[in-house]
Amino acid sequence: MTSEYRCPFDDLLILDFEATCEKDNYDFPPEIVQFSVCVLNTREKIIREDLSFNKFVRPIINPKLTDFCAELTGIDQDSIDKADTFPEVFNQFSAWLEEHNFQAKRYAFVCDSRQDMWRFAQYQFLLNKQPLPTIFRQWVNLGRYYEEDLRKAQVQDTWGPSFIEKMSGFYNIQFEGHAHNAMDECAFLAKVTKRVLDNGNLVTINESLKCIAGPRNVPFNIDPEWKTSFVSSCKVFEAMLPLVSTRTKRYFPDDFYGKCLYCFLPECTGVEHKQYPEYVYEQLKEPSVFAITAGLMRE
């Protein structure tokens, strides 16, 4: 264990979103219904038990949760009905960051995978017809650290399908609470992040969003059953969404923060698609609700 954490940020904000969903249908337009963050201070090497952000969010497109979503997340309809909409909750979060003096470039978000930023946050702001905020353009993908630790340990992954189950088994850290409750998952992921830091690993930005990526120039054959397959749907969404998530091997906050690491242009906001996937839409057997709802398809 090192005397100081190997991390260029003063604070790591562990973030998790929960979103609307429908069983066996990945073409469902996800709207964020829970927005949670807890804090790991890297200078004091502590998880801030006294400081967190946790809000339910009222969806607009599908205001009534499906039975599947309610059971999966443990969120009841009454809590959703009383909640503010996403723009209001995001403004509350921005005020929370300012209230607690979180300085841009001095903190980084930590997520268990790319899904929270690349899919949920990007899609939510497309629904709102707003550019993706600078703070959501880069993050620490904790799943990458788990995969590397697994490789170093030379053991097989046998702990379960989700990253939460995998990391719980590998790091021997018990998950407490309700699976797919954003705040409970944040609390768990904070413990895993601290373990990774305690083990002497450098924890920094390892994924970011950019407008153009080489693989998106190569057309592929759409799986006819993509709507019911998580893996196949993600491949489709990689082409549909304006910004693509990419691994970031070297990250310098002063130079890279909030910028598209392809074009570095301030007008690259994620609202316009610079690699429009016409071949994807031509192959679909029926229109994509995911794409149509967010205005991703051209008229």
Side-chain angles (χ1 to χ4, degrees), residues 5 12 15 67 91 94 174 197:
Y5 281 159
L12 294 175
L15 176 147
D67 292 341
N91 287 339
S94 299
Q174 183 177 355
L197 285 163

Side-chain angles (χ1 to χ4, degrees), residues 216 220 234-241 273 275 277 279-280:
R216 294 213 296 185
F220 62 94
C234 283
K235 192 170 183 180
V236 171
F237 297 153
E238 283 171 353
M240 286 181 172
L241 289 167
H273 208 305
Q275 288 183 299
Y279 71 92
V280 170

Side-chain angles (χ1 to χ4, degrees), residues 158-214:
T158 59
W159 293 286
S162 72
F163 268 126
I164 296 295
E165 292 169 303
K166 294 175 190 292
M167 289 187 280
S168 177
F170 179 77
Y171 294 108
N172 194 27
I173 298 175
Q174 183 177 355
F175 177 84
E176 298 178 353
H178 190 290
H180 298 288
N181 176 283
M183 194 67 241
D184 292 341
E185 292 202 351
C186 284
F188 170 79
L189 293 171
K191 295 175 184 177
V192 174
T193 305
K194 189 174 189 305
R195 176 71 58 82
V196 171
L197 285 163
D198 285 339
N199 289 343
N201 293 286
L202 169 64
V203 174
T204 188
I205 299 296
N206 59 8
E207 284 194 348
S208 62
L209 294 173
K210 61 182 183 179
C211 63
I212 293 178

Side-chain angles (χ1 to χ4, degrees), residues 21-41:
C21 53
E22 187 174 67
K23 187 176 183 180
D24 298 327
N25 178 18
Y26 290 103
D27 194 33
F28 192 87
E31 297 175 84
I32 292 171
V33 291
Q34 189 180 11
F35 184 151
S36 301
V37 170
C38 63
V39 180
L40 194 164
N41 182 278

Side-chain angles (χ1 to χ4, degrees), residues 264-276:
F264 283 91
L265 297 176
E267 60 265 28
C268 179
T269 62
V271 174
E272 294 185 5
H273 208 305
K274 298 187 179 181
Q275 288 183 299
Y276 188 76

Side-chain angles (χ1 to χ4, degrees), residues 72 112 117 214:
L72 181 72
D112 68 339
M117 298 304 198

